[in-house]
Amino acid sequence: MPLPASAIDLHCHSSASDGQLSPAALLELAAAQGVQRLALTDHDTVAGLAEASQAARSHGIELIPAAELSVSWERRTLHVVGLQIDPDNAALAAGLATLQAARLERARAIAGKLEAIGVTQAWPRLLAATDGGQPTRTHMARLLVEDGLVKDMKQAFKRFLGSGKPAYVRAEWASLREAINWIQGAGGLAVLAHPMRYPMTANWRERCLRAFKEAGGDAMEVCSGACLRPEVEQAAKLALKYELLASAGSDFHGPDQHWLQLGRLAPLPSSLTPVWSQFSAATLHSPQQ
Ligand code: MN
Ligand code: MN
Ligand code: MN
């Protein structure tokens, strides 16, 4: 029997990147929310998957091993989610290692800029906050809020961390083709994350989808985040036009995002083929059955 839409969430973060909850705490929340199939998609890392999969077993949740890879395309940053990847695949691990090195280098540069702006001890505080996980701009934004330089996370990006702002540092991530190859080489499906959220015109969005498809991409997120209906309908049209499978994920980062809940997604339009129809049967042993 197919799972109801509310039981599937294929995009969320733990403290292995910029999520607020540990992988185990995230899985506990997912269980409480009635989620039955969850993909943990931390930024450029699979480090949270072992703890998550152990917790998933104890809660009877099917965990899809996944990650959200950073991509540079046409001087923009895109995110590509790899679903159902083998986290031990050597080429994927090497690819993730290059992304992690780029992340660390960018974080150091941003921390320097933040200190110049007046954030005290930005680098050691960042290291403490990430606790071995991947440093992200979300962590930097929290420092700006903590030090009272901005009133909220949104302002932190708008005034300091966003493109062209005083603490912005451009990073060179993987190419589209590299990211897709790493994912598919590790047995996974490559999903363009939140295509409607990139700051680009409709024309550029279509160029981006065409490039993703041409590079061998499998799917795109049609329901993402709070999932507003007009956005879903627009995304559905694009998925059909570019012959991409459809994915759905909250992009949940933690309880601070009070407008967002894990596993509370609108159903995918019935005209689309869900990406999970292509999941290999090997991992689809539902613990409930
Ligand atoms: Mn994030
Ligand atoms: Mn993303
Ligand atoms: Mn994400």
Side-chain angles (χ1 to χ4, degrees), residues 13 17-19 43 68 79 136 138 251 253:
H13 296 270
S17 63
D18 56 351
H43 294 286
E68 181 172 18
H79 286 170
T136 70
T138 305
D251 208 357
H253 283 69

Side-chain angles (χ1 to χ4, degrees), residues 139-202:
H139 293 102
M140 325 279 181
R142 287 183 195 137
L143 295 184
L144 283 160
V145 176
E146 274 172 36
D147 281 13
L149 283 124
V150 291
K151 66 170 172 27
D152 57 28
M153 303 287 281
K154 204 172 158 189
Q155 263 208 358
F157 281 89
K158 214 172 151 183
R159 289 186 47 200
F160 295 109
L161 295 164
S163 177
K165 305 298 173 184
Y168 179 72
V169 175
R170 221 176 86 79
E172 200 53 52
W173 306 116
S175 72
L176 253 186
R177 217 171 273 274
E178 278 173 325
I180 291 170
N181 286 346
W182 294 336
I183 290 165
Q184 293 175 345
L189 292 153
V191 184
L192 185 66
H194 42 68
M196 311 310 285
R197 268 200 283 146
Y198 300 116
M200 49 174 79
T201 61

